[in-house]
Structure formats: C-alpha cells, structure tokens
Amino acid sequence: MINWTNLDELKSFKKLEKLKSQVAPLKEMLGGEEGAARVAKYSIPMATGFRYNYAAKQVNDRVLKVLQELADEAQLVDKYAALYNGEMINTGEKRLVLHHMTRGLLGDRVIADGEDKRAFYLEQQNRIIQFSKKVHSGAIAGENGPFKNVVQIGIGGSDLGPRAIYLALENYARQKGMLRMKAFFISNVDPDDAYSVLSGIDLSETLFILVSKSGTTLETLTNETLVRNMLENEKLDPAKHMIAVTSKTSPIANSKDYLDSFYIDDYIGGRYSSTSAVGGAVLSLAFGGFLFDRFLQGAAAQDSQARERDIRKNPPLLDALIGIWERNVLGYATTAVLPYSQGLSRFPAHLQQADMESNGKSVNRFGEPVKYKTGPVLFGEPGTNGQHSFYQLLHQGTDIVPLQFIGFSNNQGTLDYEVKGSTSRAKLCANLAAQIVAFALGKDDDNPNKRFDGGRPSSLIYGDKFTPEALGSLLSHFENKIMFQGFAWNLNSFDQEGVQLGKVLATRVLGGECTGALEAYSKLLLK
Amino acid sequence: MINWTNLDELKSFKKLEKLKSQVAPLKEMLGGEEGAARVAKYSIPMATGFRYNYAAKQVNDRVLKVLQELADEAQLVDKYAALYNGEMINTGEKRLVLHHMTRGLLGDRVIADGEDKRAFYLEQQNRIIQFSKKVHSGAIAGENGPFKNVVQIGIGGSDLGPRAIYLALENYARQKGMLRMKAFFISNVDPDDAYSVLSGIDLSETLFILVSKSGTTLETLTNETLVRNMLENEKLDPAKHMIAVTSKTSPIANSKDYLDSFYIDDYIGGRYSSTSAVGGAVLSLAFGGFLFDRFLQGAAAQDSQARERDIRKNPPLLDALIGIWERNVLGYATTAVLPYSQGLSRFPAHLQQADMESNGKSVNRFGEPVKYKTGPVLFGEPGTNGQHSFYQLLHQGTDIVPLQFIGFSNNQGTLDYEVKGSTSRAKLCANLAAQIVAFALGKDDDNPNKRFDGGRPSSLIYGDKFTPEALGSLLSHFENKIMFQGFAWNLNSFDQEGVQLGKVLATRVLGGECTGALEAYSKLLLK
C-alpha cells in the first residue's frame, strides 16, 4: 500500500538532516590519489551506454545508506509503478500521468477513455510515420514541389523540448544524410518571433505544425492566424500547408483546415510531451520516423532502469535523492545544467521548464502548504561557453551552486582538426574534466583573489557518442529525476496552477476591465 | 576623497537592515485604487525615451531615503566619476576601466599607453566604418562577388553581447532595409558549433571576424584553424576572408593573415566590450556604421544620466541599490531578467555573464574576504514564453525571485494582425502588465493549490519602440547597475580570476600531466 508522506515526516529524512556536518569536505574525499578510486567507485552505468558519475557530490557511503532508506520509506519506486500502471497521480487535475507510455510499456496496459493507451500512442506514432513518408516522397507536397521546411507553432511544452531535441540531433542527422527537412520553431506571441522565422524561408515549400493540446492556446492560435494570413497573401492555401497536433476533443481536431491531425491526450503534460506527437511530428518530418523511434527506444530503456530499487544502480533515482540532500539539508537554492555539447545548447532551457514548472510548488499533492523547500531555480548554458561567462560566480561567488555536467567523448559532426596537438573534441573534454576537479578541489593561494575554496559539488553524465538513443536516455533521466523528487517532496509534479492567474488578468486587460495597478500598468504598455 | 568601504561597515547599510520588517506587503502598497498612484509615482524617465518603473519593488519612501544615504555614503557616483576619468579601478589587474569611453566622453580626457583613449576608440570606430563601406560596396569582396555573410568567431565577452545585440536589431534592420549582411556566431570549442554554422552558408561570400583581445584564446584560435582549413578545402584564400579584432600587442595584430585588424585594449573587459570594436565590427558590417553609431549614442546618453546623484532621477543607480536591498537585507538569492520581446531572446544570457562574472566574488577589491552576499545568480528567457515554462516556480515556489521586466509598446517588424480583437503586440503587453500585478498582488483562494501569495517584487523598463538608441540605453543601464552594485559591495567588478584554475588544469590534462581525480576524469572523457 502506498503512503503519501511529506518529506519532513519521514524518519529517514530526519536521519539525513543529522548527517549534515558529518561528510568530509570534497577536497579530502576527492583529493590525492584516493580521488581516482572514488571516481571509479561512484559511477553507475545508464541505459544506452552512458554512465552517471557522482564522485564529486558531497556524499559518502553513510549518506548513501540513508538516501536508500529514504527511497524505500518514501516508496519512490512503488510510486513510479503506480504512475506507469495508470493510477491517478495528477491529483490537482485528477488525471493519469502516461508520458512514459508514449515510448514503452513498463507495466500493465492502461485503458482510459475507452481505449488502450499504449495502442493509442503507437497508433499516433505510426500515423506520423506514414504521413512523413508521404511528405518525404513528395506525395504530399507544396505548390512548387516537395516540402523542404517544417515549422512548429507552439509554446512552452509544445516548443522547448522538441526544439532542444531538434537542435541536439540536427548535426547528427545531417552527417548521416538523414536531415530530410529543416525545422524551425515559432513560439512567442511577440510577432517578431514569427517575422524572424518566416522572413527567411520560402512559404511554398513549408509545412506548418500547429501544436496545442487544448486547441485554445492564445499565443499559438495568434501565430497560426498570422501564418495563415501570410500564406494567403502569397496565394497559398493554408489548409494544404498545415497539420495539427492536439487532443481529440479540441476545437481544431480533425478539421478541414488542416491536412491531417495527430493526437495527444490529457495524460501527457506539455513539459513531458517530447516523446508524444508533440515531438514526434516535427522530429519525424525533420529526421524520419526511424530516427525518432531510436530516440524513443533510448528513453524507454532509461525508463526501464529507473525501476531499480537499489539506488546505486538507478541513476535518475540517485540523482534525485542527492538533489534532495543538496536542497533540503545542505541548503543550496539553485542548480545548473552544463552540457559540454553545443548540440545541447537549448536542453537546459527545456529542463528549466520541466523542473521548475513541475516542482516549483508550495503545497503538497493534497493542497496542504509544506514547510520545506521544494524545486530549486535551474539554469545553464553549454560548455565551454559558460566558463567564459558565469563560471566566475560558480567558482568564487558567495553561494554554492551544485552542477550537473553532461559530456561526450566524440563529436556529432566530422569536422575536427588537431590544433596545437589536440583535437577540438579533446579540448572540450579536457576542459570538462578540469572544471569538475577545479570546482571540487579548489586551489589555495597566498593571494585571496586567486584562491578557490572548492567544495562545489557536481555530477557527470557522460557517454561515447551523441546518438538519438543517447538523447532519449538523457531526457528520460531528467524526467524521472524530477518525478522522483516530486514524490519525495510529496508534490503533484503534473499540474501548473501558476500559469492561471496571469491568464485571467491578461484577459481582463484585453477586455478593458481592469482597475488600480493593473489598469495603470496596462496604460503604460498598451498605447 | 574617495573611501573604499565594505558594505557592512557603512552606517547607512546598518540603518537599511533595520528597515527589513518595516515595509508593508506589496499587496497593500500596490493594491486597490492607491496602486495606480504608486505606479505613476515610482517611475523615472531614462535616456532615449525609456522609463524605469519600480512601483512593484518592496520599497517605500523611508527605504528610498536610506538608499539615497547609502549611495552618498558609499560615494557611488564619485566612484563612477573616478572610473570614467581614468583611475585605476581594476585593482586585481591594475588597469583602467574605459568601456564608457568607447561611446562618449563623460569627463576628462584620458591618456594611457601614450595615446588619448577617446581618440583611439573613435579611430577604430571610423576605420570600421570605412572598412564596412568597402565591403558593402563590393570594393572588398569574395571570389564570386560581394560578401553577404559575416561570421564572428569569439567566446564569452567576444560573443554573447554582440550576438544578443545582433539578434535584437536584426528585425529592425531588415524592416528598414538596413540588413546589409547576415551575421552568424561561432563560439564553442565544440566543433559541432562551427559545423552547424558553416554547413549552412556559402563560404565564398563569407567574411570572418576573429575576436580575441589576447590573440591566444584557445577556443577562438581552434575555431579559426577549423575555418581556415575549410576555406582552403574550397580553394579560398583565408587571408582574404578574415579580419581580426584584437589588442595592438597581440600575436595576431596587423598580420598578413588578415585583410585588416581593428583594435581594443586592456581597459575594456570582454563582458563590457559590445560598444567597442568587438561589437562594432560585426554590427557595422551587418547593419552599417550609422546604425551602430545610433546604438552607441543611446548608450552614451544613458551613461550620462547615470551620473545623477539623486537616486530618484538615476535608474541604473536606483536599480542597483534596490538590488542590494533585495540581496543583502531581504535575502533573495537569485534574480531573473524577463524581456517581453523576442528580439531580446539572448539578452539575459549576456547579462548573465556581465553580472555574474563581474560580481560573483567573495573577496573585496583589496583581496580581503567579505562577510556578506555579493552577486546573485541571474537567469531569464523572453516573455511570454517564460510564462509557459518556469513562471510556475516564480509564482508559487518556495523561494522569491525578484524580477526585472523589459517591455515595448510597438513591434519591430510590421507583421501583426488583430486576432480575437487584439493585435499580437497588445497580447504581449497585456500579459506583461498582468504578470507584474499577479506576482505582486497574488490572489486568495479556498483551494491552496490555486492560491497565489503575491509579494514577488519586480521592476519594469519600458519604452515605445525598440530602436538602436533604445538598445544602447538598455545595455548601459545594466552595465552601470552592475558597476554601482560592485562599488557598494566594494568588489573589483572588472577582473575574473575564476576562469584561471580551469585553464591551468585543462592544460595539464591536454599535456598528459595529471594525477588523482583529474587523471581519472580525463580517462573517462578522453578516449
């Protein structure tokens, strides 16, 4: 039987708090020759060949033991099973949470709304594959020839994840001759976003994807109208240039205004929808359904490993627990995701949504205020760029920011040369290794301005090569880490009431029904 | 005479601390009909037509009075004068700090290294104007015709600011017929960055700018070699496709490997170099020297206003002081910059460097450890996108994040339509007004999950239209805010020792001379 308990009511959490001052500094644990042994020991294989290394985290075997107790007492893996087996985990909206099912079946079949959900998601995936084949063959084409561009119109979860994944795989696909169409993304209601994208492409060879689960997302419908008008201005028929990704019950489902519609449902939250049709349509059109399926398989493999009860064999679970230790015991307020890969340049922005929108909550899953810290602020930029930007504060600032590094041994593209005796890839990796150690061990110096305290903890996810499977595994790692943390904090990670108040007030402003400060600010901005 | 005092030794700071519990909640100060009066009152005109509104900040006239005392006691405006008059403000590196001088002369002429510095910066600006004219006219051209693309190769300060400004003005320039060349940026040592950019353009019509003050930046030289090899592979002569932006004493200055060189000096820090040749070359080539000069004029105008002693007439100074109040008295650990403008999509990333690299320090300008918090973590994404991403945590999370909004009443591009009774621009502005009020006032609800506590402070910089002058003024506002905060914290905002340790260790890794954890991590990543 599952018990939903607040973090601070867990016996194991109280034990954990007592360990705060009982961990040696990182300089000791990771320094000297013993440091190498720790690096070898604190390492877990992930699915698809990656490894998760936590040697630079401020943990020891005692802390890990109590984290295991916390995982067990909080029943984290059982709660995961309840989720993928179709229990109503999204208490705020009274919905199931089934994003894992878009890429695999981890447990029971789930029937909801009169249909087998795994079959439904597979059906959409297959319909997308068939549609993409027709577009790639030219059977479905623009007025002047085949569609060469695909533009996704969507915001938030309908934008950030798919965009990050497209950017992550574009070079890989190009190098393998699998870049079938170039993808673009329009998201902001600021018309300068659409203007920027549309001014650079030939509309007659462009296919647009309208992504809105509800079919009512203001920004997206506004941008759709903008695009339809532009198509009509060029004597192009919008209905022949657009597809929809939406729910079956939305106003835009199965409409003659679109070439076709592909479906998602209420059990897939926007920030968890990259592996559904929300990511599937644009990524299959851009790269082919086969590459997208490889990405799904990588995610499914990592979802599977996330069921492991032994935290030392379950990277997303361990990563989640260490995050709780850092947030609630060590007291760190923020965290940074630092991928040493330019292809992952927008991955931190996607994780920023996934993490902060899921766990940026002050009440638990039953609507009761909690007395402990929950989701931290998350930010990040790729390396090595961040080293030349904000790492100064990370090294020598007055707050410690736990870091989450991601690295690859090999390039995606073939372009690389030896310069001053090493390839660019080697320089990237050398910098990553150097930063991890610099953060952890620091360096003494007579000049305090040049002194590094060290003691800045980090994790490292690393692998050989950046493939679609690897990316899927990476996405699943973070989705499941966020889920496990949400369970530990006893939150509902799957709603987002925080977006509502702004919507209500914006509607009031547009309707001219506002007073006081709202009216005053409106007058400043709306001329 | 100027006294350099730690923040916690200022009498006015001790007074400020006592005010912590003496400010009414934002709900009271900004709520009801009085809220409108506060919005009107707490507003300051900036240079170039902008306004800075602080009605949603947790301040009252008492706090503002003490902040004025702090500005006076800490001699913030006098320290600014010392800086632009050429005193050795960068104590860590024993250098002058002259970035303001790249756009105007605020005080005395400054002679350094045997030359009048204002004249030197103007000379470079003029040389760039002449060079750009030749490129635009085709007098300097590629093998097959005029140069159509310009690619900046640089990292950190040589990348983020110019890139953000290019993106900010691209639509404006395009609409005005001033987009002379399309600009791209290569920064990361990850060769996938260069690969991504270069695979999409015709090299024969591309001009490259190599930006490195020292002439030795690893990532930049590595990317330069990559590019030179690619040019040679296409039988193009690199020396006819490249210019350099560097210091006169660097190894790449005035070299026959480049068509021309444009100069910066040691008195312009990378993160403050957008208004020097670092931004000037790429922006003049892309938009013409005239547009770049308008940008400089906007910055110069704002620099001038920043000399005002009355904080209620000096937005960067007031913004800086309120930031000190928030960081050191109210105890907020982070801040977010949220521009409601897609053109400003990378402006937060530039500010992230400018702010965190300047003030992410634990020792003061004399190398003495300080006992108070200094630079906060800074992050941000454009609106309305952020609303669908991380605003959930900002509204309902367990930490308060002070917000810095930026808004414009009018689009840059001409593309806009009325949809459901309002233009896209109106929707953008309505959302901005709504968010400010939602954050400040919150909303009660019987359901705690739908409850908003409010009390989340924000500032708003807003203006009519996004022009080059406006952007210059915006840049200057933040540069000077950071500077004033650095003075208040008694830091040296102009060095960055935090980048050194990583460099040393990376060199050791590449040279194979590492042991312990460094060797272990290297082996994981370098295969």
Side-chain angles (χ1 to χ4, degrees):
Chain A
M1 187 188 111
I2 290 193
N3 297 308
W4 297 97
T5 323
N6 279 359
L7 179 72
D8 55 2
E9 291 166 21
L10 296 170
K11 288 200 193 73
S12 48
F13 179 69
K14 294 175 188 164
K15 263 176 101 166
L16 198 66
E17 285 179 305
K18 297 199 175 91
L19 293 180
K20 180 170 184 177
S21 54
Q22 300 192 31
V23 182
L26 269 174
K27 271 190 237 208
E28 282 182 37
M29 296 197 291
L30 200 58
E33 283 314 306
E34 306 76 46
R38 184 180 167 94
V39 172
K41 177 181 177 194
Y42 278 8
S43 167
I44 314 176
M46 294 168 64
T48 71
F50 268 49
R51 294 192 76 88
Y52 170 80
N53 191 292
Y54 56 107
K57 288 292 194 180
Q58 292 159 316
V59 295
N60 54 25
D61 288 344
R62 241 168 125 193
V63 170
L64 292 166
K65 184 167 175 298
V66 179
L67 290 179
Q68 178 72 62
E69 291 172 24
L70 199 155
D72 297 338
E73 188 184 2
Q75 301 172 290
L76 300 183
V77 168
D78 297 306
K79 287 167 181 171
Y80 179 32
L83 186 151
Y84 61 68
N85 283 325
E87 287 188 33
M88 195 266 287
I89 295 296
N90 177 354
T91 46
E93 298 174 318
K94 301 193 177 2
R95 292 174 176 163
L96 316 187
V97 178
L98 299 181
H99 52 276
H100 301 83
M101 200 166 275
T102 58
R103 55 243 200 183
L105 192 65
L106 291 163
D108 304 335
R109 300 207 83 85
V110 173
I111 314 292
D113 311 323
E115 63 185 352
D116 177 316
K117 283 298 170 180
R118 178 61 183 148
F120 166 64
Y121 301 136
L122 275 171
E123 179 197 9
Q124 298 313 308
Q125 189 186 345
N126 284 324
R127 291 183 59 234
I128 286 169
I129 289 172
Q130 297 316 316
F131 181 83
S132 304
K133 283 182 175 168
K134 288 185 190 152
V135 170
H136 295 156
S137 73
I140 292 175
E143 288 78 354
N144 301 337
F147 283 126
K148 293 191 183 159
N149 308 313
V150 56
V151 179
Q152 176 123 324
I153 306 173
I155 196 165
S158 302
D159 171 56
L160 288 170
R163 185 196 294 252
I165 293 158
Y166 173 77
L167 284 171
L169 291 172
E170 192 188 32
N171 271 352
Y172 176 90
R174 185 184 283 119
Q175 200 211 332
K176 305 279 185 206
M178 292 164 87
L179 186 60
R180 309 302 302 266
M181 298 170 78
K182 200 146 187 322
F184 302 85
F185 295 81
I186 292 172
S187 53
N188 203 339
V189 76
D190 181 341
D192 293 338
D193 192 11
Y195 184 62
S196 232
V197 170
L198 299 173
S199 60
I201 54 180
D202 180 341
L203 295 187
S204 70
E205 47 189 38
T206 302
L207 182 65
F208 292 88
I209 311 177
L210 203 296
V211 187
S212 167
K213 192 192 316 179
S214 65
T216 63
T217 317
L218 176 73
E219 289 89 340
T220 304
L221 294 186
T222 303
N223 277 321
E224 182 188 16
T225 301
L226 215 129
V227 164
R228 283 182 182 274
N229 282 330
M230 279 198 78
L231 287 165
E232 285 163 0
N233 282 351
E234 295 196 18
K235 309 280 186 274
L236 301 167
D237 179 3
K240 298 203 158 51
H241 280 263
M242 305 196 82
I243 61 175
V245 174
T246 188
S247 68
K248 279 183 170 170
T249 53
S250 106
I252 63 175
N254 202 22
S255 152
K256 56 175 178 47
D257 292 335
Y258 303 90
L259 278 169
D260 211 336
S261 308
F262 303 100
Y263 299 111
I264 47 177
D265 59 26
D266 281 340
Y267 314 128
I268 298 169
R271 56 193 174 276
Y272 294 101
S273 67
S274 300
T275 52
S276 74
V278 168
V282 64
L283 297 171
S284 301
L285 284 162
F287 304 137
F290 177 58
L291 191 153
F292 180 67
D293 192 63
R294 290 173 53 193
F295 165 68
L296 295 190
Q297 291 187 35
Q302 194 55 61
D303 288 346
S304 186
Q305 189 191 17
R307 294 181 293 182
E308 170 59 60
R309 290 183 183 280
D310 180 345
I311 68 173
R312 298 219 207 197
K313 295 180 180 169
N314 184 337
L317 178 56
L318 179 56
D319 203 16
L321 292 160
I322 294 177
I324 300 285
W325 164 247
E326 289 173 338
R327 180 66 161 133
N328 298 101
V329 180
L330 301 182
Y332 303 140
T334 63
T335 181
V337 175
L338 309 168
Y340 270 60
S341 161
Q342 190 59 27
L344 286 174
S345 68
R346 293 303 280 161
F347 195 60
H350 169 58
L351 294 186
Q352 189 173 57
Q353 176 185 6
D355 202 318
M356 292 173 73
E357 195 172 46
S358 292
N359 293 335
K361 314 254 165 91
S362 293
V363 301
N364 70 11
R365 59 195 301 99
F366 305 115
E368 302 155 348
V370 294
K371 295 201 217 69
Y372 42 82
K373 298 292 192 184
T374 58
V377 161
L378 185 153
F379 67 101
E381 291 288 335
T384 53
N385 293 44
Q387 295 175 203
H388 300 262
S389 170
F390 52 86
Y391 280 33
Q392 164 63 49
L393 187 147
L394 303 181
H395 278 290
Q396 296 183 315
T398 53
D399 290 307
I400 291 178
V401 181
L403 309 170
Q404 308 182 52
F405 289 106
I406 302 170
F408 301 91
S409 310
N410 294 297
N411 298 343
Q412 285 186 298
T414 51
L415 196 68
D416 206 349
Y417 296 93
E418 268 207 24
V419 173
K420 297 198 195 301
S422 57
T423 61
S424 293
R425 176 59 44 180
K427 290 182 178 67
L428 193 68
C429 293
N431 270 277
L432 173 50
Q435 287 297 330
I436 294 171
V437 173
F439 279 120
L441 302 189
K443 181 179 81 66
D444 226 339
D445 200 298
D446 289 337
N447 180 349
N449 197 31
K450 298 182 191 270
R451 189 175 297 154
F452 290 74
D453 287 342
R456 270 91 174 129
S458 67
S459 57
L460 170 66
I461 292 174
Y462 67 101
D464 191 44
K465 205 168 160 80
F466 199 141
T467 59
E469 290 85 354
L471 188 58
S473 163
L474 202 60
L475 181 75
S476 159
H477 173 90
F478 284 99
E479 287 186 351
N480 291 324
K481 170 185 183 168
I482 291 163
M483 171 193 71
F484 284 132
Q485 289 187 328
F487 289 152
W489 284 318
N490 207 25
L491 307 175
N492 174 17
S493 302
F494 305 103
D495 67 359
Q496 48 288 323
E497 284 297 330
V499 308
Q500 293 311 328
L501 179 54
K503 274 190 199 172
V504 165
L505 296 183
T507 305
R508 229 183 271 171
V509 170
L510 288 169
E513 321 145 17
C514 43
T515 59
L518 187 59
E519 184 182 22
Y521 277 113
S522 315
K523 287 187 165 152
L524 297 186
L525 292 162
L526 284 116
K527 303 243 163 96
Chain B
M1 189 188 113
I2 291 195
N3 297 308
W4 297 96
T5 322
N6 279 359
L7 179 72
D8 55 2
E9 290 166 21
L10 296 169
K11 289 199 192 77
S12 48
F13 179 69
K14 295 176 188 164
K15 264 177 100 166
L16 198 67
E17 285 179 304
K18 297 197 175 97
L19 293 179
K20 178 170 183 176
S21 53
Q22 302 192 29
V23 183
L26 270 174
K27 271 190 238 207
E28 282 180 38
M29 296 197 293
L30 200 59
E33 282 316 305
E34 307 77 45
R38 184 180 167 97
V39 173
K41 178 180 176 195
Y42 278 8
S43 167
I44 315 177
M46 295 169 62
T48 72
F50 269 49
R51 294 193 77 90
Y52 171 79
N53 192 293
Y54 56 106
K57 287 291 194 179
Q58 291 159 316
V59 295
N60 54 25
D61 288 345
R62 241 170 125 192
V63 170
L64 292 167
K65 184 166 175 297
V66 179
L67 289 179
Q68 178 72 61
E69 289 172 23
L70 199 154
D72 297 338
E73 188 184 3
Q75 299 173 290
L76 300 183
V77 168
D78 297 306
K79 288 168 181 171
Y80 178 31
L83 185 151
Y84 60 69
N85 283 325
E87 288 189 33
M88 194 266 286
I89 295 297
N90 177 354
T91 45
E93 297 173 319
K94 298 192 177 6
R95 291 174 177 164
L96 316 187
V97 178
L98 299 180
H99 53 275
H100 301 84
M101 200 165 274
T102 58
R103 57 242 200 183
L105 192 64
L106 291 163
D108 304 335
R109 301 207 82 85
V110 173
I111 314 292
D113 311 323
E115 62 185 352
D116 177 316
K117 282 298 171 180
R118 177 62 182 147
F120 167 63
Y121 300 135
L122 274 172
E123 179 198 7
Q124 298 314 307
Q125 188 186 345
N126 284 323
R127 291 183 58 233
I128 285 170
I129 289 172
Q130 298 316 316
F131 181 82
S132 304
K133 283 182 175 169
K134 288 186 191 155
V135 171
H136 295 155
S137 72
I140 291 176
E143 286 79 354
N144 301 337
F147 284 124
K148 294 191 183 160
N149 307 313
V150 56
V151 179
Q152 175 123 324
I153 307 173
I155 194 165
S158 301
D159 171 57
L160 288 170
R163 185 196 293 250
I165 292 156
Y166 173 77
L167 285 171
L169 291 172
E170 192 187 32
N171 270 352
Y172 176 91
R174 187 184 281 120
Q175 199 211 334
K176 303 280 188 206
M178 294 164 87
L179 186 60
R180 310 302 301 265
M181 298 171 77
K182 201 149 187 321
F184 302 86
F185 296 80
I186 293 173
S187 53
N188 203 340
V189 78
D190 182 339
D192 293 338
D193 192 11
Y195 184 62
S196 228
V197 170
L198 299 173
S199 60
I201 54 181
D202 181 341
L203 294 187
S204 70
E205 47 190 39
T206 302
L207 182 65
F208 292 88
I209 311 177
L210 202 295
V211 186
S212 166
K213 193 194 313 179
S214 64
T216 64
T217 315
L218 178 72
E219 289 89 339
T220 303
L221 293 187
T222 303
N223 277 320
E224 182 189 16
T225 302
L226 215 129
V227 164
R228 284 182 181 274
N229 282 331
M230 279 199 76
L231 287 164
E232 284 164 1
N233 283 352
E234 294 196 19
K235 309 277 184 274
L236 302 166
D237 178 3
K240 298 202 159 52
H241 279 263
M242 303 195 83
I243 60 176
V245 173
T246 187
S247 69
K248 279 182 170 171
T249 53
S250 106
I252 62 175
N254 202 22
S255 152
K256 57 173 179 48
D257 291 336
Y258 304 89
L259 279 168
D260 210 336
S261 306
F262 303 99
Y263 299 110
I264 48 177
D265 57 26
D266 281 341
Y267 313 127
I268 299 170
R271 54 192 174 276
Y272 294 102
S273 67
S274 300
T275 52
S276 74
V278 169
V282 64
L283 297 171
S284 301
L285 284 161
F287 303 137
F290 176 59
L291 192 153
F292 181 66
D293 191 64
R294 290 172 55 193
F295 166 68
L296 294 190
Q297 289 189 35
Q302 194 57 62
D303 288 345
S304 187
Q305 189 191 16
R307 294 180 294 183
E308 170 59 60
R309 288 182 184 280
D310 181 347
I311 69 174
R312 298 218 208 198
K313 295 178 179 169
N314 185 338
L317 178 57
L318 179 57
D319 204 16
L321 292 161
I322 294 177
I324 300 285
W325 163 248
E326 290 174 336
R327 179 68 161 133
N328 298 103
V329 180
L330 302 181
Y332 303 140
T334 63
T335 181
V337 175
L338 308 169
Y340 271 60
S341 161
Q342 190 58 28
L344 287 173
S345 66
R346 291 304 279 159
F347 194 59
H350 169 57
L351 295 187
Q352 189 173 59
Q353 176 185 7
D355 202 319
M356 292 173 73
E357 195 173 48
S358 292
N359 293 335
K361 314 256 165 91
S362 294
V363 302
N364 70 11
R365 60 194 300 100
F366 305 115
E368 301 155 349
V370 295
K371 296 199 214 75
Y372 41 82
K373 298 292 192 185
T374 58
V377 161
L378 185 153
F379 66 101
E381 291 288 336
T384 53
N385 293 44
Q387 295 174 203
H388 299 263
S389 170
F390 52 86
Y391 280 33
Q392 163 64 50
L393 187 147
L394 302 182
H395 278 289
Q396 296 183 314
T398 52
D399 290 307
I400 291 178
V401 181
L403 309 170
Q404 309 182 49
F405 289 105
I406 303 170
F408 300 91
S409 309
N410 295 296
N411 298 345
Q412 286 186 298
T414 52
L415 196 69
D416 205 349
Y417 297 91
E418 269 208 23
V419 173
K420 296 197 195 304
S422 58
T423 60
S424 292
R425 176 58 44 179
K427 290 180 178 67
L428 192 68
C429 293
N431 270 277
L432 174 49
Q435 287 296 331
I436 293 171
V437 174
F439 279 120
L441 303 189
K443 181 180 80 66
D444 226 336
D445 200 297
D446 289 336
N447 179 350
N449 198 31
K450 297 183 192 270
R451 188 176 298 155
F452 290 74
D453 286 342
R456 270 92 173 128
S458 66
S459 58
L460 170 66
I461 291 174
Y462 66 101
D464 191 44
K465 205 169 160 82
F466 198 141
T467 60
E469 291 85 352
L471 188 58
S473 162
L474 203 60
L475 181 75
S476 159
H477 173 90
F478 284 100
E479 286 186 351
N480 292 323
K481 171 187 182 168
I482 291 163
M483 171 193 71
F484 284 131
Q485 289 188 329
F487 289 151
W489 283 318
N490 207 24
L491 307 174
N492 174 17
S493 302
F494 305 102
D495 66 359
Q496 49 289 324
E497 283 296 331
V499 308
Q500 293 311 328
L501 180 54
K503 274 190 199 170
V504 165
L505 296 184
T507 306
R508 228 184 271 171
V509 169
L510 288 169
E513 322 144 14
C514 45
T515 58
L518 186 59
E519 185 183 20
Y521 278 113
S522 316
K523 287 187 166 153
L524 297 186
L525 293 161
L526 284 115
K527 302 245 163 93

